[in-house]
Amino acid sequence: MSTDKVSVHGSWASRWVFILAATGSAVGLGSIWKFPYMVGVYGGGAFVLVFLACIALIGVPVMLAETLIGRRARLSPANALKVLAVEAGHSGRWSWGAFAGMITALLILSFYSVVGGWSLDYIINMGKGDFEGATAGQVGAYFSDVISNPWRLTFWHTAFMLLSAYVIAKGVVAGLERSLRIMMPILFVLLLVLLGYSMTTGHFMEGVHFMFDFNPDRVLDGLLAAMGHAFFSLSVGVGSIMIYGAYMPKNASISGTVVGVALIDTFVSLLAGLALFPIVFASGLNPSEGPGLMFVTLPFAFGNVAFGQLMGVVFFVLVAVAAWSSAISLLEPMVAYLVERTKVRRLWVTFWLAFSCWFVGLGTVFSFNIWKQAKFFVSEESGFHLYQWGAASGLDFFGVVDFLTSRIMLPLGGLCFVVFAGWIMGRGAVRDELSMRSPVLFALTLFLMRYVAPLGILIVFAAQLWK
Protein backbone atom coordinates (compact mmCIF):
# COMPACT_ATOMS: atom_id res chain seq x y z
CA MET A 1 0.00 0.00 0.00
CA SER A 2 1.22 3.50 -0.76
CA THR A 3 2.31 5.12 2.48
CA ASP A 4 1.70 8.69 1.20
CA LYS A 5 -2.05 8.15 0.95
CA VAL A 6 -4.25 10.90 2.41
CA SER A 7 -7.54 10.42 4.28
CA VAL A 8 -10.65 11.54 2.41
CA HIS A 9 -11.79 13.23 5.63
CA GLY A 10 -8.77 15.57 5.83
CA SER A 11 -5.64 15.62 7.96
CA TRP A 12 -4.14 17.38 10.98
CA ALA A 13 -2.01 20.43 10.26
CA SER A 14 0.90 19.03 12.31
CA ARG A 15 1.91 16.32 14.78
CA TRP A 16 1.09 18.75 17.59
CA VAL A 17 -2.55 18.79 16.54
CA PHE A 18 -2.54 14.97 16.70
CA ILE A 19 -1.05 15.23 20.20
CA LEU A 20 -3.84 17.65 21.18
CA ALA A 21 -6.48 15.37 19.64
CA ALA A 22 -5.16 12.14 21.15
CA THR A 23 -4.64 13.80 24.51
CA GLY A 24 -8.17 15.19 24.34
CA SER A 25 -9.45 11.69 23.65
CA ALA A 26 -7.44 10.23 26.53
CA VAL A 27 -7.95 13.02 29.09
CA GLY A 28 -11.57 12.55 30.09
CA LEU A 29 -13.49 11.62 33.18
CA GLY A 30 -10.96 8.82 33.75
CA SER A 31 -8.12 11.29 34.29
CA ILE A 32 -9.97 14.01 36.18
CA TRP A 33 -12.28 11.82 38.26
CA LYS A 34 -11.41 8.13 38.25
CA PHE A 35 -7.61 8.29 38.63
CA PRO A 36 -7.63 10.50 41.77
CA TYR A 37 -10.19 8.35 43.58
CA MET A 38 -8.35 5.14 42.60
CA VAL A 39 -5.15 6.61 44.08
CA GLY A 40 -7.14 7.25 47.25
CA VAL A 41 -8.61 3.76 47.38
CA TYR A 42 -5.47 1.78 46.49
CA GLY A 43 -2.80 3.35 48.63
CA GLY A 44 -1.33 6.45 47.03
CA GLY A 45 2.26 6.17 45.76
CA ALA A 46 2.25 2.37 45.38
CA PHE A 47 -0.70 2.58 42.99
CA VAL A 48 0.89 5.47 41.05
CA LEU A 49 4.13 3.51 40.52
CA VAL A 50 2.32 0.38 39.28
CA PHE A 51 0.08 2.52 37.07
CA LEU A 52 3.09 4.16 35.38
CA ALA A 53 4.66 0.76 34.70
CA CYS A 54 1.41 -0.53 33.19
CA ILE A 55 1.07 2.54 30.96
CA ALA A 56 4.51 1.76 29.51
CA LEU A 57 3.97 -1.99 29.10
CA ILE A 58 0.29 -2.15 28.07
CA GLY A 59 -1.14 1.27 27.23
CA VAL A 60 1.61 2.60 24.97
CA PRO A 61 1.98 -0.59 22.82
CA VAL A 62 -1.79 -0.67 22.15
CA MET A 63 -1.80 3.03 21.35
CA LEU A 64 1.14 2.54 18.98
CA ALA A 65 -0.74 -0.30 17.29
CA GLU A 66 -3.88 1.78 16.75
CA THR A 67 -1.98 4.82 15.48
CA LEU A 68 0.17 2.95 12.96
CA ILE A 69 -2.82 0.98 11.61
CA GLY A 70 -4.77 4.22 11.13
CA ARG A 71 -1.96 6.08 9.41
CA ARG A 72 -1.03 3.12 7.22
CA ALA A 73 -4.56 2.78 5.81
CA ARG A 74 -5.83 6.39 6.10
CA LEU A 75 -9.33 4.94 6.63
CA SER A 76 -11.88 4.42 9.39
CA PRO A 77 -11.04 1.52 11.75
CA ALA A 78 -13.21 -1.19 10.14
CA ASN A 79 -12.09 -0.32 6.60
CA ALA A 80 -8.47 0.04 7.75
CA LEU A 81 -8.29 -3.50 9.16
CA LYS A 82 -10.05 -4.93 6.13
CA VAL A 83 -7.72 -3.29 3.60
CA LEU A 84 -4.51 -3.99 5.54
CA ALA A 85 -5.47 -7.61 6.27
CA VAL A 86 -6.13 -8.33 2.59
CA GLU A 87 -2.90 -6.54 1.65
CA ALA A 88 -0.99 -8.86 4.05
CA GLY A 89 -2.70 -11.96 2.64
CA HIS A 90 -5.18 -12.50 5.49
CA SER A 91 -8.97 -12.49 5.78
CA GLY A 92 -10.80 -9.19 5.55
CA ARG A 93 -12.97 -10.38 8.44
CA TRP A 94 -10.50 -8.74 10.81
CA SER A 95 -12.64 -5.66 10.15
CA TRP A 96 -15.32 -7.20 12.38
CA GLY A 97 -13.13 -6.55 15.42
CA ALA A 98 -12.82 -2.88 14.54
CA PHE A 99 -16.53 -2.61 13.80
CA ALA A 100 -17.27 -4.04 17.25
CA GLY A 101 -14.88 -1.44 18.68
CA MET A 102 -16.78 1.38 16.96
CA ILE A 103 -20.09 0.06 18.33
CA THR A 104 -18.45 -0.03 21.77
CA ALA A 105 -17.51 3.66 21.36
CA LEU A 106 -21.12 4.59 20.61
CA LEU A 107 -22.41 2.62 23.61
CA ILE A 108 -19.86 4.32 25.87
CA LEU A 109 -20.89 7.71 24.46
CA SER A 110 -24.53 6.96 25.28
CA PHE A 111 -23.83 6.97 29.03
CA TYR A 112 -20.76 9.23 28.90
CA SER A 113 -23.07 11.97 27.64
CA VAL A 114 -25.33 11.54 30.67
CA VAL A 115 -22.42 11.89 33.12
CA GLY A 116 -21.02 14.79 31.07
CA GLY A 117 -24.43 16.41 31.42
CA TRP A 118 -24.15 16.17 35.21
CA SER A 119 -21.03 18.35 35.05
CA LEU A 120 -22.95 21.00 33.07
CA ASP A 121 -25.67 20.97 35.73
CA TYR A 122 -23.09 21.40 38.48
CA ILE A 123 -21.44 24.36 36.71
CA ILE A 124 -24.72 26.30 36.88
CA ASN A 125 -25.58 25.41 40.45
CA MET A 126 -22.03 25.81 41.75
CA GLY A 127 -22.02 29.28 40.18
CA LYS A 128 -25.32 30.12 41.89
CA GLY A 129 -23.76 29.30 45.25
CA ASP A 130 -26.04 26.33 46.00
CA PHE A 131 -23.23 24.49 47.81
CA GLU A 132 -21.94 27.36 49.97
CA GLY A 133 -21.97 26.26 53.58
CA ALA A 134 -23.85 23.07 52.72
CA THR A 135 -23.47 20.00 54.90
CA ALA A 136 -22.32 16.65 53.50
CA GLY A 137 -25.88 15.37 53.85
CA GLN A 138 -27.28 18.33 51.88
CA VAL A 139 -24.79 17.81 49.05
CA GLY A 140 -25.63 14.11 48.93
CA ALA A 141 -29.34 14.96 48.84
CA TYR A 142 -28.71 17.43 46.00
CA PHE A 143 -27.02 14.74 43.90
CA SER A 144 -29.89 12.36 44.63
CA ASP A 145 -32.33 15.04 43.45
CA VAL A 146 -30.36 15.51 40.23
CA ILE A 147 -30.32 11.85 39.20
CA SER A 148 -33.90 11.17 40.35
CA ASN A 149 -35.34 13.78 37.96
CA PRO A 150 -35.60 12.24 34.44
CA TRP A 151 -36.52 15.54 32.79
CA ARG A 152 -33.53 17.34 34.28
CA LEU A 153 -31.12 14.54 33.30
CA THR A 154 -32.58 14.36 29.79
CA PHE A 155 -32.14 18.12 29.29
CA TRP A 156 -28.44 18.06 30.19
CA HIS A 157 -27.87 14.77 28.35
CA THR A 158 -29.34 16.41 25.23
CA ALA A 159 -27.23 19.55 25.65
CA PHE A 160 -24.01 17.57 26.00
CA MET A 161 -24.79 15.37 22.98
CA LEU A 162 -25.57 18.42 20.83
CA LEU A 163 -22.23 20.00 21.77
CA SER A 164 -20.40 16.81 20.73
CA ALA A 165 -22.35 16.41 17.48
CA TYR A 166 -21.75 20.05 16.51
CA VAL A 167 -17.97 19.61 16.57
CA ILE A 168 -18.05 16.33 14.61
CA ALA A 169 -20.48 17.63 11.97
CA LYS A 170 -18.11 20.45 10.99
CA GLY A 171 -15.39 17.99 9.94
CA VAL A 172 -11.75 17.28 10.72
CA VAL A 173 -10.24 20.72 10.17
CA ALA A 174 -13.15 23.12 10.84
CA GLY A 175 -14.63 21.02 13.65
CA LEU A 176 -12.17 18.70 15.39
CA GLU A 177 -8.92 20.59 14.85
CA ARG A 178 -10.28 24.06 15.50
CA SER A 179 -12.19 23.05 18.64
CA LEU A 180 -9.30 21.00 20.07
CA ARG A 181 -6.91 23.92 19.57
CA ILE A 182 -9.20 25.86 21.92
CA MET A 183 -10.43 23.14 24.29
CA MET A 184 -7.12 21.58 25.26
CA PRO A 185 -5.29 24.81 26.23
CA ILE A 186 -8.38 25.80 28.25
CA LEU A 187 -8.27 22.41 29.99
CA PHE A 188 -4.61 22.84 30.95
CA VAL A 189 -5.11 26.44 32.12
CA LEU A 190 -8.08 25.48 34.29
CA LEU A 191 -6.14 22.59 35.79
CA LEU A 192 -3.19 24.86 36.59
CA VAL A 193 -5.53 27.45 38.17
CA LEU A 194 -7.02 24.72 40.36
CA LEU A 195 -3.52 23.47 41.23
CA GLY A 196 -2.44 26.99 42.17
CA TYR A 197 -5.46 27.33 44.42
CA SER A 198 -4.67 23.98 46.09
CA MET A 199 -1.24 25.33 47.01
CA THR A 200 -2.92 28.05 49.08
CA THR A 201 -5.05 25.67 51.19
CA GLY A 202 -2.26 24.82 53.63
CA HIS A 203 -2.68 21.12 52.85
CA PHE A 204 -0.77 20.87 49.58
CA MET A 205 2.16 18.88 50.95
CA GLU A 206 -0.31 16.53 52.62
CA GLY A 207 -1.68 15.83 49.15
CA VAL A 208 1.84 15.35 47.75
CA HIS A 209 2.73 12.84 50.46
CA PHE A 210 -0.57 11.02 50.00
CA MET A 211 0.04 10.60 46.25
CA PHE A 212 3.75 9.85 46.21
CA ASP A 213 4.78 8.29 49.52
CA PHE A 214 5.63 4.71 48.62
CA ASN A 215 4.46 1.81 50.78
CA PRO A 216 5.79 -1.46 49.30
CA ASP A 217 3.22 -3.48 51.28
CA ARG A 218 0.44 -1.99 49.14
CA VAL A 219 1.91 -2.64 45.67
CA LEU A 220 -0.21 -5.76 45.10
CA ASP A 221 -3.40 -4.14 46.48
CA GLY A 222 -4.09 -2.17 43.32
CA LEU A 223 -2.13 -4.18 40.73
CA LEU A 224 -5.12 -5.34 38.69
CA ALA A 225 -6.88 -2.00 39.10
CA ALA A 226 -3.77 -0.19 37.84
CA MET A 227 -3.45 -2.52 34.85
CA GLY A 228 -7.08 -1.97 33.93
CA HIS A 229 -6.96 1.79 34.33
CA ALA A 230 -3.69 2.07 32.38
CA PHE A 231 -5.40 0.35 29.47
CA PHE A 232 -8.60 2.40 29.65
CA SER A 233 -7.03 5.80 30.45
CA LEU A 234 -5.42 6.19 27.01
CA SER A 235 -8.76 5.75 25.21
CA VAL A 236 -7.62 2.65 23.34
CA GLY A 237 -9.70 -0.29 22.17
CA VAL A 238 -12.53 1.55 20.40
CA GLY A 239 -10.81 2.97 17.31
CA SER A 240 -10.68 6.61 18.43
CA ILE A 241 -6.88 6.75 18.37
CA MET A 242 -6.87 4.80 15.09
CA ILE A 243 -9.05 7.32 13.26
CA TYR A 244 -7.00 10.18 14.70
CA GLY A 245 -3.90 8.34 13.44
CA ALA A 246 -5.47 8.27 9.96
CA TYR A 247 -5.36 12.08 9.96
CA MET A 248 -1.71 12.17 11.13
CA PRO A 249 0.96 13.69 8.84
CA LYS A 250 3.33 11.14 7.26
CA ASN A 251 6.48 12.95 8.42
CA ALA A 252 5.47 12.78 12.11
CA SER A 253 7.13 10.19 14.34
CA ILE A 254 4.49 7.77 15.60
CA SER A 255 6.57 6.39 18.46
CA GLY A 256 7.70 9.80 19.75
CA THR A 257 4.23 11.27 19.40
CA VAL A 258 2.44 8.38 21.14
CA VAL A 259 4.91 8.38 24.03
CA GLY A 260 4.34 12.14 24.30
CA VAL A 261 0.56 11.65 24.48
CA ALA A 262 0.96 8.96 27.17
CA LEU A 263 3.23 11.24 29.21
CA ILE A 264 0.84 14.20 28.94
CA ASP A 265 -2.19 12.07 29.86
CA THR A 266 -0.34 10.67 32.88
CA PHE A 267 0.86 14.16 33.82
CA VAL A 268 -2.72 15.48 33.71
CA SER A 269 -3.90 12.60 35.90
CA LEU A 270 -1.19 13.36 38.47
CA LEU A 271 -1.94 17.10 38.36
CA ALA A 272 -5.63 16.38 38.90
CA GLY A 273 -4.79 14.41 42.03
CA LEU A 274 -2.45 17.12 43.31
CA ALA A 275 -5.13 19.74 42.65
CA LEU A 276 -8.00 17.86 44.28
CA PHE A 277 -6.58 16.06 47.33
CA PRO A 278 -5.41 19.22 49.18
CA ILE A 279 -8.96 20.63 48.82
CA VAL A 280 -10.36 17.37 50.21
CA PHE A 281 -7.89 17.43 53.12
CA ALA A 282 -8.63 21.11 53.80
CA SER A 283 -12.26 20.19 54.38
CA GLY A 284 -11.35 17.30 56.69
CA LEU A 285 -12.76 14.71 54.29
CA ASN A 286 -11.67 11.18 53.43
CA PRO A 287 -9.68 10.97 50.15
CA SER A 288 -10.75 7.35 49.72
CA GLU A 289 -14.39 8.20 49.10
CA GLY A 290 -14.41 6.35 45.76
CA PRO A 291 -16.76 7.19 42.87
CA GLY A 292 -18.65 9.79 44.93
CA LEU A 293 -15.53 11.99 45.01
CA MET A 294 -16.53 14.21 42.07
CA PHE A 295 -20.24 14.81 42.61
CA VAL A 296 -20.58 14.58 46.42
CA THR A 297 -17.25 14.94 48.24
CA LEU A 298 -15.76 17.76 46.14
CA PRO A 299 -18.91 19.94 45.95
CA PHE A 300 -19.06 19.77 49.76
CA ALA A 301 -15.36 20.66 49.93
CA PHE A 302 -15.74 23.62 47.57
CA GLY A 303 -18.74 24.81 49.55
CA ASN A 304 -16.71 25.01 52.74
CA VAL A 305 -13.35 26.56 51.77
CA ALA A 306 -12.33 30.12 50.87
CA PHE A 307 -13.09 31.05 47.24
CA GLY A 308 -14.65 27.61 46.91
CA GLN A 309 -17.58 28.81 44.79
CA LEU A 310 -15.28 30.21 42.10
CA MET A 311 -12.91 27.24 42.21
CA GLY A 312 -15.86 24.85 42.09
CA VAL A 313 -17.04 26.46 38.85
CA VAL A 314 -13.48 26.18 37.46
CA PHE A 315 -13.40 22.49 38.41
CA PHE A 316 -16.68 21.55 36.78
CA VAL A 317 -15.88 23.53 33.63
CA LEU A 318 -12.64 21.52 33.56
CA VAL A 319 -14.61 18.28 33.90
CA ALA A 320 -17.04 19.32 31.15
CA VAL A 321 -14.24 20.24 28.72
CA ALA A 322 -12.41 16.96 29.42
CA ALA A 323 -15.60 14.96 28.90
CA TRP A 324 -16.42 16.91 25.72
CA SER A 325 -13.00 16.29 24.15
CA SER A 326 -13.35 12.57 24.86
CA ALA A 327 -16.94 12.38 23.63
CA ILE A 328 -16.13 13.69 20.16
CA SER A 329 -13.42 11.04 19.80
CA LEU A 330 -16.03 8.35 20.54
CA LEU A 331 -18.34 9.57 17.77
CA GLU A 332 -15.74 10.20 15.05
CA PRO A 333 -14.77 6.56 14.12
CA MET A 334 -18.31 5.50 13.13
CA VAL A 335 -19.01 8.82 11.42
CA ALA A 336 -15.89 8.38 9.29
CA TYR A 337 -16.85 4.77 8.49
CA LEU A 338 -20.37 5.61 7.35
CA VAL A 339 -19.19 8.58 5.28
CA GLU A 340 -16.73 6.24 3.50
CA ARG A 341 -19.31 3.51 2.93
CA THR A 342 -22.47 5.47 2.11
CA LYS A 343 -21.15 8.76 0.70
CA VAL A 344 -23.91 10.47 2.72
CA ARG A 345 -23.03 13.99 3.85
CA ARG A 346 -21.14 14.15 7.13
CA LEU A 347 -23.78 16.41 8.68
CA TRP A 348 -26.57 13.83 8.26
CA VAL A 349 -24.42 10.88 9.35
CA THR A 350 -23.47 12.79 12.50
CA PHE A 351 -27.08 13.75 13.22
CA TRP A 352 -28.43 10.19 13.01
CA LEU A 353 -25.57 8.65 14.98
CA ALA A 354 -25.81 11.30 17.69
CA PHE A 355 -29.56 10.79 17.85
CA SER A 356 -29.08 7.01 18.18
CA CYS A 357 -26.57 7.49 21.03
CA TRP A 358 -28.90 10.01 22.67
CA PHE A 359 -31.81 7.57 22.44
CA VAL A 360 -29.84 4.68 23.95
CA GLY A 361 -28.60 7.10 26.62
CA LEU A 362 -32.18 7.58 27.80
CA GLY A 363 -31.88 4.06 29.21
CA THR A 364 -29.06 5.33 31.45
CA VAL A 365 -31.10 8.41 32.39
CA PHE A 366 -34.05 6.23 33.43
CA SER A 367 -31.80 3.77 35.29
CA PHE A 368 -31.56 6.30 38.12
CA ASN A 369 -35.29 7.00 38.41
CA ILE A 370 -38.30 5.51 36.57
CA TRP A 371 -36.49 2.28 35.59
CA LYS A 372 -34.68 1.96 38.90
CA GLN A 373 -36.50 -1.29 39.70
CA ALA A 374 -35.61 -2.91 36.35
CA LYS A 375 -32.81 -5.42 36.98
CA PHE A 376 -30.94 -7.66 34.53
CA PHE A 377 -28.84 -10.79 35.13
CA VAL A 378 -30.48 -11.44 38.49
CA SER A 379 -29.03 -14.29 40.55
CA GLU A 380 -31.15 -15.31 43.55
CA GLU A 381 -31.91 -18.42 45.55
CA SER A 382 -34.79 -19.13 43.19
CA GLY A 383 -32.35 -19.24 40.28
CA PHE A 384 -30.97 -17.02 37.55
CA HIS A 385 -33.22 -14.53 35.74
CA LEU A 386 -32.25 -12.53 32.66
CA TYR A 387 -34.65 -9.78 33.75
CA GLN A 388 -36.75 -9.14 36.82
CA TRP A 389 -38.59 -6.06 38.05
CA GLY A 390 -37.89 -5.09 41.65
CA ALA A 391 -35.14 -7.64 42.33
CA ALA A 392 -32.73 -6.88 45.17
CA SER A 393 -29.68 -7.89 43.08
CA GLY A 394 -28.70 -7.62 39.44
CA LEU A 395 -27.67 -4.78 37.14
CA ASP A 396 -29.72 -1.82 35.96
CA PHE A 397 -29.64 -0.73 32.30
CA PHE A 398 -26.65 1.55 32.89
CA GLY A 399 -24.84 -1.26 34.72
CA VAL A 400 -25.41 -3.66 31.82
CA VAL A 401 -24.03 -1.24 29.22
CA ASP A 402 -21.07 -0.33 31.44
CA PHE A 403 -20.31 -4.02 32.12
CA LEU A 404 -20.46 -5.01 28.42
CA THR A 405 -18.27 -2.13 27.26
CA SER A 406 -15.66 -1.74 30.01
CA ARG A 407 -15.22 -5.38 31.04
CA ILE A 408 -15.74 -7.26 27.77
CA MET A 409 -15.73 -5.18 24.58
CA LEU A 410 -12.97 -2.68 25.40
CA PRO A 411 -10.33 -5.28 26.34
CA LEU A 412 -11.26 -7.44 23.32
CA GLY A 413 -11.00 -4.41 21.03
CA GLY A 414 -7.56 -3.53 22.34
CA LEU A 415 -6.47 -7.16 22.00
CA CYS A 416 -7.69 -7.25 18.40
CA PHE A 417 -5.76 -4.11 17.44
CA VAL A 418 -2.46 -5.00 19.11
CA VAL A 419 -2.51 -8.57 17.76
CA PHE A 420 -3.33 -7.25 14.29
CA ALA A 421 -0.41 -4.81 14.33
CA GLY A 422 1.99 -7.28 15.94
CA TRP A 423 1.17 -10.41 13.94
CA ILE A 424 -1.07 -9.72 10.91
CA MET A 425 0.25 -6.53 9.27
CA GLY A 426 3.74 -7.87 8.82
CA ARG A 427 7.07 -6.80 10.27
CA GLY A 428 7.96 -4.66 7.25
CA ALA A 429 4.78 -2.59 7.34
CA VAL A 430 5.13 -1.97 11.08
CA ARG A 431 8.79 -0.99 10.70
CA ASP A 432 7.90 1.35 7.82
CA GLU A 433 5.27 3.21 9.86
CA LEU A 434 7.25 3.41 13.10
CA SER A 435 10.44 4.52 11.30
CA MET A 436 12.65 3.62 14.26
CA ARG A 437 16.35 4.04 13.60
CA SER A 438 17.42 1.66 16.36
CA PRO A 439 16.90 -2.06 15.52
CA VAL A 440 17.00 -2.84 19.25
CA LEU A 441 14.25 -0.33 20.04
CA PHE A 442 12.11 -1.66 17.17
CA ALA A 443 12.58 -5.26 18.36
CA LEU A 444 11.60 -4.23 21.91
CA THR A 445 8.48 -2.41 20.63
CA LEU A 446 7.43 -5.39 18.52
CA PHE A 447 7.99 -7.71 21.50
CA LEU A 448 5.73 -5.53 23.66
CA MET A 449 3.02 -5.51 20.98
CA ARG A 450 3.23 -9.25 20.28
CA TYR A 451 3.59 -10.67 23.77
CA VAL A 452 3.53 -8.31 26.76
CA ALA A 453 0.51 -6.13 25.90
CA PRO A 454 -1.74 -9.05 24.78
CA LEU A 455 -0.89 -10.98 27.95
CA GLY A 456 -1.61 -7.93 30.09
CA ILE A 457 -4.94 -7.35 28.34
CA LEU A 458 -5.95 -10.99 28.84
CA ILE A 459 -5.17 -10.68 32.56
CA VAL A 460 -7.24 -7.50 32.80
CA PHE A 461 -10.07 -9.16 30.84
CA ALA A 462 -10.12 -12.21 33.11
CA ALA A 463 -9.94 -10.07 36.25
CA GLN A 464 -12.80 -7.82 35.10
CA LEU A 465 -15.02 -10.84 34.38
CA TRP A 466 -14.09 -12.43 37.71
CA LYS A 467 -15.17 -9.28 39.53
Side-chain angles (χ1 to χ4, degrees):
M1 172 176 287
S2 173
T3 55
D4 57 357
K5 188 177 180 181
V6 178
S7 170
V8 297
H9 308 288
S11 60
W12 307 124
S14 68
R15 69 185 287 260
W16 287 107
V17 179
F18 172 81
I19 289 176
L20 286 178
T23 303
S25 176
V27 176
L29 297 178
S31 299
I32 307 297
W33 162 56
K34 193 172 183 180
F35 179 79
Y37 91 66
M38 290 181 80
V39 171
V41 170
Y42 291 110
F47 177 83
V48 171
L49 182 65
V50 175
F51 172 75
L52 295 176
C54 292
I55 282 282
L57 298 176
I58 300 176
V60 169
V62 181
M63 200 174 193
L64 279 172
E66 281 205 41
T67 307
L68 69 90
I69 292 170
R71 193 173 73 172
R72 184 78 177 174
R74 301 292 187 185
L75 295 167
S76 62
N79 286 332
L81 263 66
K82 181 177 181 179
V83 168
L84 294 179
V86 172
E87 181 191 57
H90 296 275
S91 170
R93 291 177 180 175
W94 275 94
S95 63
W96 294 0
F99 191 80
M102 296 189 301
I103 294 294
T104 303
L106 296 181
L107 288 173
I108 293 172
L109 178 58
S110 74
F111 66 77
Y112 204 90
S113 175
V114 177
V115 180
W118 295 350
S119 64
L120 298 179
D121 184 290
Y122 270 67
I123 291 171
I124 302 298
N125 291 282
M126 183 67 74
K128 287 163 53 181
D130 288 357
F131 299 107
E132 264 194 283
T135 65
Q138 288 172 327
V139 177
Y142 175 84
F143 181 63
S144 296
D145 288 343
V146 170
I147 64 175
S148 64
N149 188 330
W151 294 107
R152 185 174 185 172
L153 285 189
T154 300
F155 174 80
W156 290 115
H157 168 47
T158 305
F160 188 87
M161 190 65 76
L162 286 174
L163 285 171
S164 304
Y166 174 76
V167 172
I168 293 294
K170 292 182 73 66
V172 174
V173 176
L176 286 166
E177 182 170 322
R178 190 170 296 171
S179 63
L180 288 165
R181 284 180 181 270
I182 298 171
M183 276 194 279
M184 296 315 295
I186 288 175
L187 186 149
F188 289 118
V189 169
L190 291 173
L191 191 55
L192 290 174
V193 168
L194 205 59
L195 181 68
Y197 172 73
S198 290
M199 292 179 177
T200 69
T201 62
H203 294 264
F204 184 73
M205 290 311 299
E206 192 176 348
V208 171
H209 286 299
F210 177 75
M211 284 198 68
F212 297 111
D213 281 358
F214 181 69
N215 181 357
D217 295 335
R218 299 212 60 185
V219 169
L220 296 179
D221 290 356
L223 177 60
L224 287 174
M227 289 177 69
H229 191 61
F231 177 70
F232 302 133
S233 70
L234 293 179
S235 192
V236 291
V238 295
S240 297
I241 299 300
M242 194 183 299
I243 193 63
Y244 282 0
Y247 309 148
M248 189 178 182
K250 176 58 185 173
N251 58 359
S253 165
I254 288 180
S255 54
T257 304
V258 165
V259 170
V261 171
L263 289 174
I264 294 173
D265 175 59
T266 305
F267 184 62
V268 168
S269 296
L270 295 174
L271 281 186
L274 289 174
L276 299 181
F277 285 128
I279 299 171
V280 171
F281 287 128
S283 302
L285 299 173
N286 182 2
S288 305
E289 281 297 317
L293 181 70
M294 186 161 74
F295 292 110
V296 178
T297 306
L298 282 169
F300 170 73
F302 285 124
N304 290 276
V305 294
F307 304 106
Q309 182 178 344
L310 174 61
M311 289 301 106
V313 171
V314 169
F315 171 72
F316 282 106
V317 170
L318 169 68
V319 171
V321 171
W324 190 14
S325 65
S326 290
I328 59 178
S329 75
L330 293 168
L331 193 55
E332 176 65 15
M334 187 63 86
V335 168
Y337 174 75
L338 291 178
V339 169
E340 291 168 4
R341 289 297 299 269
T342 65
K343 306 302 181 185
V344 175
R345 287 178 59 196
R346 186 180 183 92
L347 175 64
W348 287 108
V349 170
T350 304
F351 170 79
W352 286 111
L353 280 178
F355 175 79
S356 299
C357 289
W358 174 85
F359 185 76
V360 174
L362 291 179
T364 294
V365 168
F366 300 151
S367 294
F368 300 104
N369 35 74
I370 59 179
W371 287 356
K372 197 172 184 179
Q373 299 297 312
K375 300 296 182 182
F376 301 86
F377 307 121
V378 178
S379 180
E380 295 181 336
E381 290 182 5
S382 59
F384 177 80
H385 305 278
L386 189 63
Y387 167 80
Q388 190 173 352
W389 183 268
S393 61
L395 300 172
D396 57 22
F397 181 89
F398 167 61
V400 170
V401 177
D402 182 40
F403 177 84
L404 288 174
T405 54
S406 66
R407 298 194 185 184
I408 297 177
M409 298 174 77
L410 262 179
L412 291 180
L415 184 64
C416 171
F417 298 150
V418 77
V419 168
F420 185 88
W423 294 98
I424 304 301
M425 276 184 65
R427 190 184 186 95
V430 174
R431 183 191 292 112
D432 181 54
E433 286 302 324
L434 292 181
S435 301
M436 290 180 171
R437 295 180 181 178
S438 169
V440 175
L441 186 57
F442 173 73
L444 175 61
T445 302
L446 197 61
F447 178 77
L448 291 174
M449 284 199 294
R450 284 185 167 182
Y451 302 103
V452 178
L455 179 61
I457 293 170
L458 286 172
I459 292 173
V460 170
F461 180 60
Q464 294 285 350
L465 287 183
W466 182 258
K467 285 187 350 186

